[in-house]
Amino acid sequence: MTAAQARPWGDRIAVEVVNGIPYRMYTDRPRRIEEVLSHAERWGDRPHVLQGGRVFTFAVVRAAIEAKAAELSALGARRGDRIFLLGWNGPEWIVNFWACLRLGAVPVLANTWWSADELRNGLDLLEPALILADRSAAVRVPEGRRRGPWDITLAGAGSPSFEPGDDAARGEEDVALIIFTSGTSGQPKAVVLSHRAVLARLHMTLAVTRKLPHQLDRSGHDVTLITGPLFHVGQMQTLLRAAIVGDTLVLPEGRYDPAEAMALIERHKVNRWPAVPTMVSRLLDHPDVARRDLSSLKSISIGGAPVHAELMRRMRTALPSVSPRVPTGYGLTENGGQATAAAGAGNPELLGSAGRPLPCVEVRFLAREGLPDGEILLRSPTQMKGYYGLAGQPIDGEGWLHTGDLGRLDDDGALWITGRCKDMIIRGGENIAPAAVEQALTTIPGVVE
């Protein structure tokens, strides 16, 4: 057992002050994302990534990570360097991501849907030491930028390990990775997340689901369908979780297609699916949904957009094997991706809430003139260090992240999202939240979306 595997992932929480801000944190916790890789060693020849006819075991992926880290080092990449990852989901993306972290570099999870202009703006902002791009994205990389190979070497298990050098100067407040998020004010913003932030989110979700390393039953594991881009914070966390708990990840070969998703669920006996509401709606609307065997599917985790009660009811009718395991949640990339979680069971009238705050998350509300609900403020160890290269930041001097979302807590402590501070319709002098209009429209017979 390595030192990282021996380090406890505890459930005791205490307040710690970081840069003058008090955060609720687990006292026994991992300090670096690279430590997660040592847990993946336990799963050996278990399939880790499936895509098309390709099957990659944990041992093969682990060896490929070591080989790629050594390759990046030979190209001159060093600890702290920013390395752009620009490619579609696949084993290559996963190996390149981990190799950057193994090296001590900072992977920048670029949006593969960007236009050439958006990519150029991102590169100008962050000035990466190296760009790793797949074949389809490489044509948009401007001339003169230094590139590295996207492809990976499938070395056998037992190959020499990469030696990153002295770890003494590495701490949990170091920058771990950078993810872009889109707002309502122009260009995507570069969200800077520390090792502490990324691991605190992972620790909380493992703790509430009783999947901490010392709680695992090695005899079983989940098969998870990944239909969202790995460069989004939620799917990135699914990747980290899989290394800890030994999940098999099933990746489609192209963009999301509900017919392919159903075929993959049926073929690989998928039992977990993290998805956004639109993906679920498209699957439920597909004419083949009734004839496909989707009974292996036990849990659909929904996030990324408001989840209306009508969608939850449709899921429970069309996918009875999932009920009542429909976890939902609320979060932003700026706070590490998740602040609340709900199990999805219980009173149907409560369907659509974002759930209760995760163990280390504090929630408060800032009153807004003329609005019935307050702006949601969050404080937790998962939140970002800030937007890279921007003077204006949404985190105040007391550590509260101003989300721009409106909401309220009910008597059971569940969070309800009711709108946006600046996304309002004014009719006859009255403020109307678009979210309320959308929710009303979904109840009208014949309205699909």
Side-chain angles (χ1 to χ4, degrees):
M1 178 179 291
T2 67
Q5 286 176 315
R7 182 172 294 157
W9 293 55
D11 54 12
R12 179 178 176 272
I13 295 173
V15 174
E16 295 185 28
V17 178
V18 179
N19 297 324
I21 306 298
Y23 294 113
R24 290 170 51 82
M25 287 199 259
Y26 291 102
T27 55
D28 296 319
R29 61 184 185 271
R31 306 293 169 140
R32 302 282 301 189
I33 301 177
E34 306 95 285
E35 296 179 20
V36 171
L37 279 176
S38 66
H39 293 277
E41 295 173 2
R42 295 182 295 174
W43 310 120
D45 292 331
R46 177 183 294 177
H48 181 34
V49 183
L50 307 179
Q51 187 177 49
R54 301 191 295 171
V55 180
F56 297 79
T57 67
F58 277 91
V60 167
V61 170
R62 187 73 177 87
I65 292 167
E66 297 295 301
K68 192 53 179 277
E71 184 179 23
L72 294 176
S73 178
L75 289 171
R78 296 292 178 262
R79 186 172 67 182
D81 283 351
R82 293 182 291 275
I83 299 179
F84 254 58
L85 299 186
L86 187 68
W88 296 109
N89 289 3
E92 293 82 5
W93 196 102
I94 293 170
V95 169
N96 284 319
F97 169 79
W98 279 118
C100 291
L101 292 166
R102 185 80 173 94
L103 179 67
V106 178
V108 179
L109 312 190
N111 189 325
T112 315
W113 293 318
W114 278 345
S115 66
D117 287 342
E118 289 172 319
L119 175 57
R120 186 178 298 106
N121 289 335
L123 293 170
D124 288 345
L125 173 66
L126 287 163
E127 299 181 335
L130 204 60
I131 301 169
L132 307 181
D134 69 11
R135 189 173 304 169
S136 64
V139 297
R140 285 178 279 129
V141 176
E143 292 295 329
R145 297 286 184 175
R146 191 156 182 265
R147 309 185 194 190
W150 179 259
D151 291 340
I152 58 178
T153 301
L154 297 180
S159 301
S161 296
F162 170 70
E163 296 297 335
D166 184 18
D167 288 349
R170 300 186 183 196
E172 66 177 349
E173 295 304 318
D174 293 346
V175 176
L177 51 89
I178 297 174
I179 302 181
F180 285 86
T181 185
S182 296
T184 57
S185 56
Q187 293 296 329
K189 301 179 180 69
V191 172
V192 180
L193 295 173
S194 67
H195 287 263
R196 179 252 300 166
V198 175
L199 288 170
R201 155 81 188 275
L202 178 63
H203 200 151
M204 284 192 293
T205 52
L206 291 175
V208 299
T209 56
R210 298 194 59 77
K211 293 286 188 180
L212 292 172
H214 65 275
Q215 298 170 327
L216 294 176
D217 176 2
R218 293 176 61 119
S219 64
H221 70 287
D222 289 328
V223 179
T224 302
L225 178 64
I226 303 293
T227 51
L230 287 166
F231 56 75
H232 281 177
V233 67
Q235 304 294 0
M236 180 272 297
Q237 281 282 339
T238 298
L239 177 59
L240 300 187
R241 179 189 184 276
I244 292 285
V245 304
D247 283 355
T248 296
L249 304 179
V250 179
L251 307 179
E253 295 190 84
R255 297 194 181 197
Y256 176 68
D257 174 57
E260 183 187 16
M262 288 188 290
L264 292 173
I265 292 169
E266 190 173 56
R267 181 185 314 144
H268 298 293
K269 304 302 179 187
V270 169
N271 58 353
R272 292 185 72 250
W273 180 28
V276 296
T278 303
M279 291 179 177
V280 179
S281 293
R282 289 180 61 192
L283 184 141
L284 296 176
D285 292 336
H286 197 279
D288 292 342
V289 68
R291 70 177 186 85
R292 284 289 192 179
D293 181 7
L294 307 180
S295 60
S296 65
L297 193 58
K298 303 302 181 186
S299 174
I300 300 179
S301 303
I302 303 182
V307 182
H308 299 310
E310 181 59 25
L311 175 60
M312 301 286 275
R313 292 189 182 95
R314 290 184 65 204
M315 289 173 59
R316 294 185 174 198
T317 299
L319 302 171
S321 64
V322 172
S323 180
R325 293 171 287 276
V326 187
T328 61
Y330 164 76
L332 303 81
T333 304
E334 289 87 341
N335 89 301
Q338 189 169 8
T340 67
N347 188 339
E349 296 303 317
L350 297 179
L351 293 177
S353 87
R356 297 177 178 84
L358 291 172
C360 296
V361 177
E362 299 175 80
V363 180
R364 61 185 291 191
F365 299 90
L366 178 65
R368 290 290 187 177
E369 185 176 356
L371 299 178
D373 298 314
E375 180 185 3
I376 301 168
L377 308 187
L378 303 172
R379 185 167 68 186
S380 80
T382 64
Q383 63 199 36
M384 67 176 181
K385 296 173 79 72
Y387 294 130
Y388 188 94
L390 291 182
Q393 302 290 337
I395 300 176
D396 64 28
E398 295 182 348
W400 292 98
L401 171 65
H402 293 239
T403 68
D405 293 317
L406 298 172
R408 57 181 173 80
L409 287 176
D410 64 20
D411 293 340
D412 293 323
L415 178 66
W416 293 79
I417 311 300
T418 57
R420 288 280 297 171
C421 293
K422 297 180 180 179
D423 185 17
M424 301 296 290
I425 301 165
I426 302 177
R427 181 180 185 276
E430 295 293 326
N431 291 313
I432 303 171
V437 177
E438 291 178 7
Q439 187 166 2
L441 289 172
T442 63
T443 65
I444 299 175
V447 173
V448 175
E449 183 181 352

